[in-house]
Each structure stands twice: as C-alpha cells, then as structure tokens.
Amino acid sequence: MSGGVGIGQHAKILVTEAGNLMVDVPAYIDRAAVDAVMRLGGLAGIIASHPHMYGAQSAWAEACGGADGPVPVYISEPDAGWLARRPANTIVWSDSLTPLPGLPGSPAVTASQPGGHFPGSVVVHFTGQDGVGVLLAGDTVGVARDRKWATFMRSFPNYLPLSGAVAERIAGHLDRYDYERLYDNFSGVIASEASAVVHRSARRHADWAEGRMDHLT
C-alpha cells in the first residue's frame, strides 16, 4: 500500500496462517482502504518501524478491530516518548518480539530493535512463501538507487548519515536473521543476497564516514 500522503511510505501487510500483521501504516485512511485490508483477513496487529510511522496507526487499529476492540499496536520502548496517544491497545516492547507465532509449516514473524535511524528503530523478519528469509527494514537500512548497495541514515531528507560504527552495528545486529531479500520504507528492494549487500555497504559507509577514503576527495 502506498501513496502520496505524508512522506509516501509503503505499508506492508504480512498475510500468514497465524493472522495478518501491518508493518507501518499508510498516512491516509478511508473506507475503501480498510475494506481492502479486511478482505485479506483483517489484522492481528500493527507494528511501527519508527516514530515517523506512528501517524494514523490508532485510526487503523480501531477501523480493523472487532468485538474485542482495536487490534494491538506494538511500539518500540526506546521511542515510546514520541507517542501522542497511548490507548489501551498499545503494547510497548523491548529487545525482541514475536508479533505472530509460528504454526506448522508457517515460521514465526519476529521483530527486534537495531536502532540507528531512531534509538528504537525496528526491523521485522519473516519467511516468504518461497522459503526465503525476508527483512522489512523500515528506515534502518535504505536501499540505494542501483539496488546493489544500502545506506544508513539518521535523516534521509537532510542527507545526514549515521556514523560508521552505527552502520556496522546495525549490520551485525541483523546477522541474527537469515534474509535473502530486504525491503526499505519506500520502494527500495534488494531482491537477492541482501545480507551480503548490507555488510559490504556498512563497510563502505564506515570507510567514507570515518575518513579512510579521504584520499579520493
């Protein structure tokens, strides 16, 4: 789901046998969009990758809820201070989370907090229908325009990079996952060998950020 409202983020919906999870929400909500989500089976939860994505999450949770109330909204503890509202369906979590359990033939969906873009920035990992590991990176890892490299930014619109140490920390954190594909917060996709791309990109980022390539400037 994408559009021109807000910063044009692309919401992702993971459809699994254990339920559906929306990773980040569109900045706009209307009846047609909610109906489209409900036709997929509704939502078991919503998870935000970072505070820029909090936006309309309470409205989505309420619209996709049922008799038990709004669906759970999972918020990374280090970033919880950015919440404007904290309704009862808000679940603040730390370190790691399993928002959707594994079932026979359906591995669990997991999340963790590598930080970087925000102190509590979140990534979500799952296994695709083809059996390949997939990472939803939000703005923690940005995909470069040629799709062969990634970048690590504190602020994308202001072109403010993270330090080399933080870029390498993020790459190391992501080693807990087996992932072949990576999707960023917009239209960026690394379709294969994503883990290797992230590692070589972190090394390159560190080399430039820490001055080891200054002889080329």
Side-chain angles (χ1 to χ4, degrees):
M1 300 176 66
S2 64
V5 178
I7 60 174
Q9 68 264 30
H10 287 221
K12 280 81 172 176
I13 299 178
L14 306 186
V15 179
T16 82
E17 295 180 5
N20 300 342
L21 179 72
M22 181 181 279
V23 183
D24 295 325
V25 298
Y28 177 77
I29 182 169
D30 64 10
R31 188 72 256 167
V34 172
D35 288 346
V37 171
M38 299 308 287
R39 284 195 295 272
L40 294 174
L43 296 177
I46 293 169
I47 189 167
S49 64
H50 64 286
H52 290 148
M53 300 295 102
Y54 290 175
Q57 62 188 4
S58 290
W60 277 97
E62 292 166 4
C64 296
D68 295 331
V71 302
V73 175
Y74 298 100
I75 296 294
S76 181
E77 190 278 331
D79 297 336
W82 289 95
L83 287 170
R85 298 176 57 200
R86 196 179 294 207
N89 60 307
T90 304
I91 298 174
V92 178
W93 62 282
S94 298
D95 189 32
S96 62
L97 176 74
T98 303
L100 291 177
L103 298 175
S106 176
V109 175
T110 58
S112 62
Q113 302 166 339
H117 183 61
F118 272 79
S121 283
V122 170
V123 297
V124 175
H125 179 267
F126 67 100
T127 301
Q129 292 184 347
D130 57 358
V132 169
V134 182
L135 195 71
L136 304 183
D139 279 345
T140 299
V141 180
V143 178
R145 292 184 181 182
D146 67 0
R147 310 293 175 100
K148 298 176 183 177
W149 295 93
T151 189
F152 308 85
M153 302 291 284
R154 173 62 182 93
S155 173
F156 286 85
N158 294 310
Y159 301 102
L160 183 64
L162 293 167
S163 72
V166 171
E168 294 192 305
R169 186 194 78 201
I170 290 169
H173 176 103
L174 299 182
D175 281 343
R176 67 185 63 190
Y177 301 117
D178 178 9
Y179 63 103
E180 178 76 6
R181 295 195 296 273
L182 181 148
Y183 295 79
D184 69 14
N185 201 28
F186 299 96
S187 59
V189 181
I190 298 173
S192 63
E193 300 182 348
S195 178
V197 170
V198 167
H199 269 281
R200 71 168 179 258
S201 297
R203 289 192 297 269
R204 183 178 75 163
H205 185 103
D207 283 343
W208 281 96
E210 295 171 2
R212 288 186 289 274
M213 304 303 288
D214 283 359
H215 62 285
L216 297 178
T217 63

